[in-house]
Amino acid sequence: MKSPFHVMLIPTLGCPGNCAYCWSSEEDSPVMSMEIIKEVAAWIRDFDDRQVTVTFHGGEPLLAGAEFYREAFPLLSEELAHLKPAFAIQTNLWRMTPEIAQIFAEYQVPIGSSIDGPKEINDVQRGDGYFDKTMHGYQIARENGLNVRFICTFTSYSVEFREEIFNYFMQNGLTLKLHPALPSLRGDDPEKWALAPEKYGDLLIYLLDKYLENLNTAEIMNINDLFKSVFTRTGTVCTFNDCMGNTFAVGPDGSIYPCYRFVGMPEWVMGNVRDHPTKADLAESRAWKLMHAFKDFVDENCKDCKHIHYCRGGCPYNAITPTGGEVKAVDPHCPAYNQIFDELNDRLNKELFGTDAMAMGMGGSRRRQRNRKAGIMDLMQKIVSE
């Protein structure tokens, strides 16, 4: 089966938000023109023959406005019809309007947004007013039938409120997907909000336990993805996969990057859509070579790690950018990945081959099965049935 092909379009690096642990540009940052969208379509059309997902990201992509999407969706849909394009967007929802929502609904665009828990926690790290503005946009999106899921960024501050955050997502029927905060690109204290690897590992195990306690009502995407990786022995999300060649990002001026996280960093430009580069053309760029150097580094330095096939050293961006582009380490969250992968493997093996197997259907009474706590195999059944 072919790997997925994913192109992220960054209409602008501008963002009206001011999240303490993120970066921000002025709202009047340049916006991608429709000429660039046409060049994107022409480039993708002959670049790859796999089904393609196009995700609008940022900055804040809704700053591009309703007319941008009214033109972009049909243009991309028609030009890439043979690739059966699917669309998605990641937005803080502040600029969501009924007009934009109706355009997205026509093309069945799922929305990813960001909220870091209840208002009193969220606004400390995302800025006063963030929660209310996002929830207003969320209401408009839902009223127009759009599917919205939230990413929750855990920082050194918010991880201390993990129970309150989990309960907020549960009580509001929201799917939880989390990101650990990295050292900020802004300010004089880059580590202030960063989530330490050991804290991240503890958080993942805490959420695994909470998920299993609430398996019928909770949904934690990270735990699903981590377990799929362990069970299939291959990474199922970009963090744990060799993403080079499967994912690209296009900045407002048409520059091509390995991922949206590199957009705006000139040293990571691989080419430009105006030139319709082939993979062979992109492979000549410094960025492509660095990404593959990271893959080679992982193959050599992680070869004795039992998780190598479904971890792949974590995210190249996390590993390479702190060293100024020098490949000399894996993702700094490696200890957290090891912690949760060990936990999932240990629990899975115990359930499959340990004494608990008897209570799961190999001689245990039905009453005992009814009363036992949910385990990893129950999680697998839930994932398979969805």
Side-chain angles (χ1 to χ4, degrees):
M1 187 169 64
K2 292 183 178 181
S3 300
F5 181 46
H6 190 190
V7 177
M8 301 181 183
L9 301 186
I10 316 301
T12 178
L13 287 172
C15 181
N18 193 34
C19 301
Y21 52 78
C22 193
W23 70 91
S24 180
S25 302
E26 299 297 325
E27 289 188 43
D28 60 357
S29 290
V31 175
M32 183 179 286
S33 67
M34 203 49 53
E35 176 195 353
I36 295 296
I37 291 291
K38 292 176 182 177
E39 295 289 0
V40 166
W43 171 58
I44 297 175
R45 186 175 57 216
D46 300 319
F47 183 81
D48 205 298
D49 63 356
R50 290 173 289 175
Q51 191 272 334
V52 64
T53 296
V54 177
T55 299
F56 292 89
H57 214 294
E60 174 43 57
L62 291 189
L63 289 176
E67 193 57 34
F68 174 87
Y69 292 101
R70 196 188 311 279
E71 293 185 46
F73 284 134
L75 193 156
L76 292 166
S77 295
E78 292 167 12
E79 290 295 314
L80 304 178
H82 63 297
L83 301 179
K84 300 178 180 178
F87 301 106
I89 190 168
Q90 181 68 33
T91 167
N92 63 22
L93 290 171
W94 292 13
R95 299 304 175 89
M96 178 59 69
T97 65
E99 181 183 12
I100 291 176
Q102 289 163 18
I103 296 169
F104 287 0
E106 181 180 352
Y107 288 89
Q108 300 179 318
V109 181
I111 294 175
S113 191
S114 298
I115 209 78
D116 293 348
K119 180 177 179 178
E120 59 272 17
I121 296 172
N122 177 89
D123 283 9
V124 168
Q125 55 194 41
R126 284 193 174 268
D128 289 342
Y130 186 107
F131 183 92
D132 289 340
K133 292 175 184 177
T134 294
M135 287 297 105
H136 177 70
Y138 173 68
Q139 185 63 32
I140 293 173
R142 295 294 295 154
E143 288 172 353
N144 285 274
L146 295 172
N147 179 30
V148 182
R149 289 187 170 185
F150 289 101
I151 293 174
C152 175
T153 299
F154 278 86
T155 67
S156 58
Y157 165 78
S158 65
V159 74
E160 303 302 325
F161 302 95
R162 62 189 189 181
E163 183 173 358
E164 291 90 335
I165 293 171
F166 176 80
N167 289 338
Y168 170 81
F169 277 81
M170 279 283 296
Q171 292 163 5
N172 289 278
L174 300 175
T175 296
L176 174 59
K177 182 177 180 181
L178 62 134
H179 280 173
L182 294 164
S184 177
L185 298 176
R186 301 169 53 197
D188 299 324
D189 189 6
E191 299 289 340
K192 178 180 179 181
W193 299 95
L195 185 63
E198 60 273 13
K199 289 277 191 179
Y200 184 30
D202 290 344
L203 173 65
L204 289 171
I205 292 175
Y206 167 81
L207 290 174
L208 171 61
D209 289 332
K210 297 298 289 185
Y211 195 7
L212 295 178
E213 291 172 11
N214 300 274
L215 202 55
N216 292 329
T217 52
E219 190 74 35
I220 304 179
M221 297 303 297
N222 303 67
I223 302 301
N224 289 350
D225 293 331
L226 289 162
F227 178 71
K228 288 177 188 176
S229 295
V230 167
F231 193 75
T232 63
R233 318 310 282 181
T234 185
T236 57
V237 292
C238 64
T239 302
F240 305 118
N241 214 323
D242 294 323
C243 55
M244 194 70 251
N246 297 322
T247 300
F248 297 96
V250 179
D253 65 350
S255 294
I256 302 169
Y257 302 82
C259 173
Y260 81 95
R261 301 177 78 178
F262 295 102
V263 174
M265 302 168 69
E267 64 272 27
W268 287 93
V269 173
M270 305 170 69
N272 195 288
V273 294
R274 291 188 176 96
D275 302 319
H276 303 178
T278 64
K279 284 188 180 179
D281 295 329
L282 297 181
E284 295 299 316
S285 67
R286 174 180 177 271
W288 181 288
K289 292 174 182 177
L290 277 174
M291 294 288 283
H292 279 272
F294 177 76
K295 178 181 181 297
D296 294 339
F297 180 90
V298 170
D299 286 337
E300 177 59 30
N301 289 269
C302 302
K303 61 186 177 183
D304 295 326
C305 176
K306 58 188 175 183
H307 307 305
I308 183 174
H309 296 298
Y310 49 86
C311 176
R312 299 303 305 153
C315 176
Y317 175 90
N318 293 353
I320 299 173
T321 52
T323 64
E326 185 178 354
V327 180
K328 61 180 183 181
V330 296
D331 187 332
H333 284 124
C334 174
Y337 304 148
N338 266 302
Q339 193 173 345
I340 187 63
F341 282 137
D342 280 347
E343 188 75 16
L344 287 167
N345 273 287
D346 289 347
R347 294 193 191 192
L348 179 60
N349 288 332
K350 182 180 179 181
E351 290 185 22
L352 286 175
F353 307 113
T355 56
D356 286 355
M358 295 297 292
M360 292 175 65
M362 302 179 189
S365 69
R366 290 184 179 179
R367 181 177 179 181
R368 187 175 178 185
Q369 291 181 51
R370 284 197 302 269
N371 293 337
R372 69 177 176 84
K373 294 181 180 179
I376 298 298
M377 295 303 292
D378 298 289
L379 174 60
M380 182 187 75
Q381 291 174 0
K382 175 176 179 173
I383 293 172
V384 169
S385 66
E386 290 179 345

